[in-house]
Amino acid sequence: MTTSSGEGRRPIKRALLSVWYKDGIVELAQALHAAGVEIVSTGSTASTVEKAGVPVTRVEQITGFPEILSDRVKTLHPKVHGGLLADMRLPEHVSELAEHGIEAFDLLVSNLYPFTETVASGASEEECIAKIDIGGPAMVRAAAKNHASVAVVTAVSAYPMVLEALKDGGFSLTQRKLLAARAFADIAEYDVAVANWTASALVGGDFAEFSGLALRRSSVLRYGENPHQQAALYLDPNAPAGLAQATQLHGKEMSYNNYVDADAAWRSANDFDAPCVAIIKHANPCGIAIGADVAEAHRKAHACDPVSAFGGVVAVNREVSVELAQQLSEIFTEVIVAPSFAPAALDLFREKKNLRVLVAPAWNPPATEIKQVGGGVLVQAADRIDADGDDPANWTLATGTPVSDEVMADLAFAWRAIRSVKSNAILLASGGATVGVGMGQVNRVDSARLAVSRAGEERAAGSVAASDAFFPFPDGLEVLIAAGVRAVVQPGGSIRDNLVIEAAEKAGIAVYLTGTRHFFH
């Protein structure tokens, strides 16, 4: 059989339809029939098309064999796969088809059993296994491999391409290659979902022997971390929806750095149950605060470091109110992300043409997180501030007198907020807000000095401090003591803990030990 043009177009004369999702299949079948295409179909797809008055040849009519084993076997037959795999450019393939009474297919339209949806529904193990498609992926893989002769369509969104191809005399070779690549991607995504589920559900354990990741490109970004770096955003369809799936309501296109900072901010804001605002820049907090409402929380967070907050990213764990929008309208902000926005607040933001406004999906973080290293990835349980040592009730008072409820509340806030700070981290807090943040230093003394410097003498005095890891020497703590910090929470565990505690005891401040560390790199 020859092609109809130099573009490698192949007329569509015979099509196989076998789909789980029936959206648009009747209209597609009607168009194929109107174009004179013979339609072969399976099971419920055939019934759906027949009910619409479109003539169909059922697959068992061409195989001479019924669908068996609760429909597990219906298309696994040479008269199906031979018709999909025959390379019609090769005379020997054409001859073999004729010898065995097999007719070639020019088009396969197929989508797969809803495996991921079944798993997500909480279905039983047996119900999930029943939705592992066998025949569908086999057909799609066969047609995609043989794209020189067959076009394969796996998405309802591609049905208009079929209609155009009917008008144009068939799919071009370039179009068939595109469809084949999409089909192989669909199969890979499906197989990864099945492999990940079976590793978890059938075998179990904390870390499976195999872990797959199937990503879909959502958008190509203007550039990466720097203008000379190309970048794109990919989505994980099998992961809980997160910042990557946020809906942009207004503003300039999101950049690579915007996504990084917005994700960090969204996580920080959702570390707290109370109304919270987190202001992030270069993945570190300029300020984090809780309040009676989000407007108060923002005022407190912004006051921590107004200079650094300029051009920052703001995340809010409640609906953005008009009052908060009015406050933000006076400050240059790159991105604001929240679960929702009051209509009048959104109207105010629309006056800022460059401000990016995102509605994020409900906070539902994955249990593990991945970090790429050369040649592989590191996987760890995510730090959700949920260890035994994160509960103040489990803290040990190493020295000093028990603090008041007000001071303890600030210590608990500081300990929760420091999770967001890159190590080495020291954080000063007062009144449910950060007042000084020392982040990312290679020694704890410098982190303490930076936190005190950012707070200033007046705010540092009487504040509380959190340290993400133990003080290896008394010197870091002594910086905080000299600044007038009234209480400190830290993991403890240094071989020189006794010297650190002695320094605190001498100064008369309370030190609580958590036994839990919050390094963040």
Side-chain angles (χ1 to χ4, degrees):
M1 186 178 292
T2 59
T3 58
S4 63
S5 78
E7 294 180 315
R9 289 194 183 276
R10 290 187 53 79
I12 303 172
K13 298 181 178 180
R14 193 166 188 250
L16 174 56
L17 311 184
S18 181
V19 297
W20 177 270
Y21 300 99
K22 304 299 191 293
D23 296 350
I25 196 63
V26 167
E27 293 79 5
L28 181 64
Q30 290 170 334
L32 290 169
H33 176 61
V37 178
E38 178 191 354
I39 299 175
V40 178
S41 191
T42 61
S44 61
T45 306
S47 297
T48 299
V49 172
E50 286 172 334
K51 286 179 183 177
V54 178
V56 170
T57 300
R58 287 183 171 262
V59 74
E60 55 265 35
Q61 294 175 252
I62 66 170
T63 64
F65 207 90
E67 298 179 3
I68 62 171
L69 305 179
S70 304
D71 293 340
R72 285 190 174 195
V73 179
K74 50 189 173 184
T75 58
L76 299 172
H77 193 281
K79 289 203 171 182
V80 174
H81 284 269
L84 292 172
L85 282 166
D87 186 342
M88 302 306 286
R89 301 170 302 176
L90 303 179
E92 58 269 33
H93 281 202
V94 176
S95 297
E96 284 187 61
L97 289 186
E99 178 184 351
H100 296 289
I102 299 173
E103 295 184 60
F105 290 105
D106 307 300
L107 172 67
L108 169 68
V109 179
S110 181
N111 53 58
L112 311 181
Y113 290 175
F115 176 76
T116 54
E117 293 89 337
T118 302
V119 171
S121 74
S124 69
E125 182 178 297
E126 286 300 319
E127 290 171 321
C128 292
I129 290 171
K131 287 298 185 288
I132 298 176
D133 205 334
I134 303 299
M139 289 192 296
V140 169
R141 189 180 296 276
K145 174 179 179 176
N146 194 33
H147 60 267
S149 299
V150 182
V152 54
V153 172
T154 53
V156 175
S157 60
Y159 288 1
M161 285 184 68
V162 180
L163 305 183
E164 290 300 314
L166 291 172
K167 297 176 184 177
D168 295 339
F171 286 100
S172 69
L173 178 58
T174 298
Q175 290 173 322
R176 295 198 301 277
K177 286 181 176 179
L178 173 64
L179 292 169
R182 290 177 177 175
F184 278 124
D186 286 343
I187 295 300
E189 180 185 323
Y190 195 85
D191 285 344
V192 164
V194 172
N196 285 343
W197 178 80
T198 53
S200 172
L202 304 187
V203 180
D206 290 333
F207 295 100
E209 291 185 7
F210 171 87
S211 181
L213 189 63
L215 304 177
R216 294 275 182 176
R217 191 185 71 196
S218 171
S219 60
V220 175
L221 307 178
R222 287 176 59 201
Y223 53 80
E225 205 161 6
N226 299 290
H228 66 278
Q229 296 171 267
Q230 294 180 317
L233 173 67
Y234 284 80
L235 306 183
D236 183 353
N238 294 315
L243 197 282
Q245 287 83 6
T247 300
Q248 185 168 353
L249 302 181
H250 176 71
K252 290 170 60 176
E253 177 185 350
M254 288 283 287
S255 72
Y256 179 97
N257 292 330
N258 289 154
Y259 275 111
V260 171
D261 283 350
D263 190 56
W266 184 235
R267 179 177 176 181
S268 296
N270 282 285
D271 279 342
F272 294 89
D273 294 327
C276 180
V277 170
I279 306 171
I280 299 291
K281 200 169 183 182
H282 299 299
N284 267 305
C286 309
I288 302 172
I290 56 176
D293 54 52
V294 292
E296 181 191 25
H298 172 257
R299 289 191 296 271
K300 291 159 65 174
H302 183 76
C304 177
D305 189 352
V307 173
S308 297
F310 180 85
V313 170
V314 175
V316 188
N317 68 353
R318 297 285 197 281
E319 179 173 273
V320 173
S321 64
V322 175
E323 184 181 4
L324 174 54
Q326 290 170 335
Q327 292 170 193
L328 285 167
S329 294
E330 302 300 319
I331 304 162
F332 172 55
T333 301
E334 288 276 355
V335 183
I336 178 165
V337 54
S340 60
F341 294 82
L346 195 55
D347 289 340
L348 284 171
F349 290 144
R350 288 197 172 107
E351 297 176 6
K352 303 281 188 179
K353 67 176 183 178
N354 293 331
L355 174 63
R356 301 160 181 88
V357 179
L358 303 183
V359 171
W363 178 243
N364 182 27
T368 58
E369 54 192 17
I370 297 172
K371 189 177 187 69
Q372 187 170 356
V373 295
V377 297
L378 297 169
V379 182
Q380 69 171 352
D383 187 354
R384 299 296 173 214
I385 326 177
D386 55 3
D388 288 343
D390 293 322
D391 183 351
N394 296 327
W395 293 354
T396 299
L397 179 61
T399 185
T401 57
V403 298
S404 66
D405 290 345
E406 179 184 2
V407 174
M408 180 57 75
D410 274 342
L411 284 169
F413 168 83
W415 184 245
R416 187 160 285 272
I418 205 164
R419 200 282 313 151
S420 299
V421 185
K422 296 294 182 74
S423 302
N424 288 310
I426 298 289
L427 182 146
L428 305 187
S430 180
T434 58
V435 296
V437 182
M439 74 287 282
Q441 303 304 299
V442 292
N443 68 74
R444 203 155 294 278
V445 178
D446 284 346
S447 293
R449 289 171 177 158
L450 180 58
V452 169
S453 172
R454 291 285 179 85
E457 292 183 10
E458 185 176 339
R459 291 194 301 176
S463 68
V464 303
S467 176
D468 66 335
F470 63 63
F471 291 96
F473 301 96
D475 48 4
L477 179 66
E478 287 167 351
V479 171
L480 303 178
I481 292 171
V485 168
R486 67 165 71 181
V488 175
V489 58
Q490 56 123 337
S494 168
I495 61 173
R496 300 179 185 84
D497 265 356
N498 61 316
L499 298 180
V500 175
I501 299 306
E502 285 175 11
E505 187 175 13
K506 183 178 179 181
I509 70 166
V511 173
Y512 285 87
L513 304 182
T514 68
T516 295
R517 188 179 73 187
H518 285 296
F519 268 169
F520 183 31
H521 297 101

